[in-house]
Coordinates of all heavy atoms in Angstrom, one line a residue:
A126 N -11.4 104.1 -38.4 CA -11.9 103.0 -37.6 C -11.1 101.7 -38.0 O -10.7 100.9 -37.1 CB -13.4 102.8 -37.7
N127 N -11.0 101.5 -39.3 CA -10.3 100.3 -39.8 C -8.8 100.3 -39.3 O -8.3 99.2 -39.0 CB -10.3 100.2 -41.3 CG -11.5 99.5 -41.8 OD1 -11.7 98.3 -41.6 ND2 -12.4 100.2 -42.5
E128 N -8.2 101.5 -39.3 CA -6.8 101.5 -38.8 C -6.7 101.2 -37.3 O -5.8 100.5 -36.9 CB -6.2 103.0 -39.0 CG -5.9 103.3 -40.5 CD -5.3 104.6 -40.6 OE1 -5.1 105.3 -39.6 OE2 -5.0 105.0 -41.7
Q129 N -7.7 101.6 -36.5 CA -7.7 101.3 -35.1 C -7.8 99.8 -34.8 O -7.1 99.3 -33.9 CB -8.8 102.1 -34.4 CG -8.8 101.8 -32.9 CD -9.7 102.8 -32.1 OE1 -10.2 103.8 -32.7 NE2 -10.0 102.4 -30.9
Y130 N -8.6 99.1 -35.6 CA -8.8 97.7 -35.3 C -8.1 96.8 -36.3 O -8.5 95.6 -36.4 CB -10.3 97.4 -35.2 CG -10.9 98.1 -34.0 CD1 -11.7 99.2 -34.1 CD2 -10.7 97.6 -32.7 CE1 -12.3 99.8 -33.0 CE2 -11.2 98.2 -31.6 CZ -12.0 99.3 -31.8 OH -12.6 99.8 -30.7
D131 N -7.2 97.3 -37.1 CA -6.5 96.6 -38.1 C -5.7 95.4 -37.4 O -5.6 94.4 -38.1 CB -5.5 97.5 -38.8 CG -5.1 96.9 -40.2 OD1 -6.0 96.2 -40.7 OD2 -4.0 97.2 -40.6
F132 N -5.3 95.5 -36.2 CA -4.5 94.5 -35.5 C -5.3 93.2 -35.4 O -4.7 92.1 -35.3 CB -4.1 94.9 -34.2 CG -5.2 95.0 -33.1 CD1 -5.5 94.0 -32.3 CD2 -5.9 96.2 -33.0 CE1 -6.5 94.1 -31.4 CE2 -6.9 96.3 -32.1 CZ -7.2 95.2 -31.2
L133 N -6.6 93.2 -35.5 CA -7.4 92.0 -35.4 C -7.2 91.1 -36.6 O -7.4 89.9 -36.5 CB -8.9 92.4 -35.3 CG -9.4 93.0 -34.0 CD1 -10.8 93.4 -34.1 CD2 -9.2 92.1 -32.8
E134 N -6.7 91.7 -37.7 CA -6.4 90.8 -38.8 C -5.2 89.9 -38.6 O -4.9 89.0 -39.3 CB -6.1 91.7 -40.1 CG -7.3 92.5 -40.6 CD -8.4 91.6 -41.1 OE1 -8.0 90.5 -41.6 OE2 -9.5 92.0 -41.0
Y135 N -4.4 90.3 -37.5 CA -3.2 89.5 -37.3 C -3.3 88.5 -36.1 O -2.4 88.0 -35.6 CB -2.1 90.5 -36.9 CG -1.7 91.4 -38.1 CD1 -2.5 92.6 -38.3 CD2 -0.8 91.0 -39.1 CE1 -2.2 93.4 -39.4 CE2 -0.6 91.8 -40.2 CZ -1.3 93.0 -40.4 OH -1.1 93.8 -41.5
I136 N -4.6 88.3 -35.8 CA -4.9 87.3 -34.7 C -5.3 86.0 -35.4 O -6.1 86.0 -36.3 CB -6.0 87.8 -33.8 CG1 -5.6 89.0 -33.0 CG2 -6.6 86.7 -32.9 CD1 -6.7 89.7 -32.3
T137 N -4.7 84.9 -34.9 CA -5.1 83.6 -35.4 C -5.7 82.8 -34.2 O -5.2 82.9 -33.1 CB -3.9 82.8 -35.9 OG1 -2.9 82.8 -34.9 CG2 -3.4 83.4 -37.2
I138 N -6.8 82.1 -34.4 CA -7.5 81.4 -33.4 C -7.4 79.9 -33.7 O -7.8 79.4 -34.7 CB -9.0 81.8 -33.3 CG1 -9.1 83.3 -33.0 CG2 -9.7 81.1 -32.1 CD1 -10.5 83.9 -33.0
D139 N -6.9 79.1 -32.7 CA -6.8 77.7 -32.9 C -8.3 77.2 -32.9 O -9.1 77.6 -32.0 CB -6.0 77.1 -31.7 CG -5.7 75.6 -31.9 OD1 -6.7 74.8 -32.0 OD2 -4.5 75.3 -32.0

Side-chain angles (χ1 to χ4, degrees):
N127 271 295
E128 285 184 3
Q129 179 167 348
Y130 291 107
D131 202 28
F132 70 93
L133 290 174
E134 293 295 330
Y135 297 87
I136 291 170
T137 54
I138 302 176
D139 191 298

